[in-house]
Amino acid sequence: MRKSSYAVAAALTLLLIGALTLAPGCKKKPVPIVTQPPPPPPPPPPPPPAPTINLSADPSTITAGQSSALQWSSTNATSVSIEPGIGNVEASGKKEVSPGSSATYTATANGPGGRVSASARITVTEPPPTPPPKPTISDAEFWDSHIKDTFFDFDKYDIREDARQTLNENARALAERSHLRVTIEGHCDERGSEKYNLALGDRRANATKEYLVGQGVSADRMETISYGEERPFASGHDEESWAQNRRAHFVRKP
């Protein structure tokens, strides 16, 4: 009896399974597939940096025939050129130019980031007119027109104020013609002994020479001699004649 119960139960189970298998609409649901979104595109690269250029001229104003220095510097440039007349140059540098007339120089820098320019102007002025040459005169004519004697007070060898002015002009003339050489003669009037006047004339000649040395005339260009009262310039025997004879007389050496 127990055996047949087991058989019945097994049969029922099989029938139930078959019914479930054959029942319409009982399908297994598919497992959904999860899809990841694609990664975002990379950001675009930054644009290349723009080039820069600086240009200057020193000095900016020159006289015709003179030079000026162009100086430039650039960044982010693959090529740099300067016009007019220079062409391609290094990224930075310096160049002397001598334009014949006023000119504007332009430096241009090119690079992946673009093109940029800078300018500098050089103004050229005309030189001042050349003064006409001075007429050339001979040394003898120059001497006669520029070198003057100086005079002394009675029994003195001090350089007077009027004599200082004359000697200053003599010094300027001797500087202008530095090849001229001089003999300075010391002279006296007729009063006093011959020996005394020779000594006084010597002091007058040397005082004159020392003054000229102080004004820049080389001592090697001058020599002195005293004639005392031996060679008067005026033959009278009065104060007017004596004043003419108390002098330092300049003689051009050959």
Side-chain angles (χ1 to χ4, degrees), residues 31-39:
V31 178
I33 299 174
V34 179
T35 303
Q36 296 292 332

Side-chain angles (χ1 to χ4, degrees), residues 102-243:
S102 297
T104 298
Y105 289 86
T106 300
T108 302
N110 292 284
R115 175 188 179 98
V116 67
S117 297
S119 296
R121 183 166 179 80
I122 299 176
T123 301
V124 180
T125 61
E126 291 299 321
T130 303
K134 295 181 179 179
T136 302
I137 62 174
S138 67
D139 286 344
E141 293 171 318
F142 180 86
W143 186 275
D144 291 340
S145 61
H146 290 79
I147 305 298
K148 306 299 179 183
D149 290 353
T150 56
F151 300 89
F152 296 86
D153 291 331
F154 173 67
D155 202 26
K156 301 289 186 182
Y157 58 91
D158 307 90
I159 304 297
R160 301 188 322 202
E161 186 61 33
D162 62 324
R164 291 175 184 272
Q165 297 178 8
T166 300
L167 291 176
N168 290 341
E169 294 174 1
N170 287 354
R172 285 191 289 270
L174 291 172
E176 185 175 339
R177 297 205 177 186
S178 58
H179 61 282
L180 295 178
R181 299 176 63 82
V182 185
T183 297
I184 303 174
E185 299 177 352
H187 294 270
C188 304
D189 63 35
E190 62 185 352
R191 292 171 293 178
S193 67
E194 180 180 347
K195 182 178 180 180
Y196 180 84
N197 284 335
L198 281 173
L200 180 58
D202 183 69
R203 287 192 289 268
R204 287 173 174 170
N206 280 287
T208 302
K209 176 182 177 179
E210 290 172 6
Y211 186 90
L212 289 172
V213 169
Q215 299 303 305
V217 181
S218 172
D220 294 340
R221 298 174 59 191
M222 299 179 286
E223 65 179 28
T224 62
I225 189 171
S226 173
Y227 288 107
E229 60 187 82
E230 298 175 8
R231 297 186 179 184
F233 288 82
S235 58
H237 303 285
D238 51 38
E239 180 55 38
E240 183 178 354
S241 298
W242 294 333

